[in-house]
Amino acid sequence: MSTQRFVFHHEWSLPGPAEPVVAALAYIEHYPRWWPRVRSVEQLDDRSGQVRIRSLLPITLQLVLTRDIEDHEGGRLRVVLDGDLSGWAQWSIASSGGATTAAFDQDVRVAARLSRAATLAPAVLRANHAWMMRQGRHGLAQEITRCR
């Protein structure tokens, strides 16, 4: 495993109550439907799945996500990541005044096969991640509007 560590924080402001946001974010199997950078999700068992993610860079990340926390009422969802990235990612979702904020936090280390790219271009990887997250926010906003 590489020593290259990345910590990310993003906040998405979304219309409406938290419940449909929590439901959409908890159902990882549907991510490819609304988040174009999530190319595929294959369920491995009742708690984990293999995910392929591809953004602007010519690298497809292969990840195994394992559910760690799934608290719909508290608006907290957390997975442990393994594969090309190891660490964790979580959503904290809260509503106020007719809108919902979905805060995404991630703390990961880059696998050895990608460590050279991570060392050479961390600013590019951060910009790429931000672009990918903007795509996700846009797709989720459309998804929750469509499902109302």
Side-chain angles (χ1 to χ4, degrees), residues 127-145:
N128 185 65
H129 190 274
W131 177 82
M132 188 184 95
M133 294 301 290
R134 284 191 301 274
Q135 295 269 308
R137 188 241 166 258
H138 178 75
L140 181 57
Q142 290 181 326
E143 177 75 4
I144 60 176
T145 299

Side-chain angles (χ1 to χ4, degrees), residues 69-138:
I69 298 170
E70 189 168 351
D71 176 7
H72 287 245
E73 286 183 18
R76 188 159 173 240
L77 307 167
R78 182 179 172 118
V79 294
V80 174
L81 287 82
D82 200 10
D84 288 334
L85 302 175
S86 62
W88 56 267
Q90 82 174 15
W91 292 100
S92 301
I93 302 111
S95 285
S96 178
T100 296
T101 299
F104 176 82
D105 290 287
Q106 184 177 38
D107 188 335
V108 293
R109 293 194 182 276
V110 178
R113 84 171 188 95
L114 302 173
S115 63
R116 176 175 251 187
T119 302
L120 294 175
V124 171
L125 293 175
R126 288 185 180 286
N128 185 65
H129 190 274
W131 177 82
M132 188 184 95
M133 294 301 290
R134 284 191 301 274
Q135 295 269 308
R137 188 241 166 258
H138 178 75

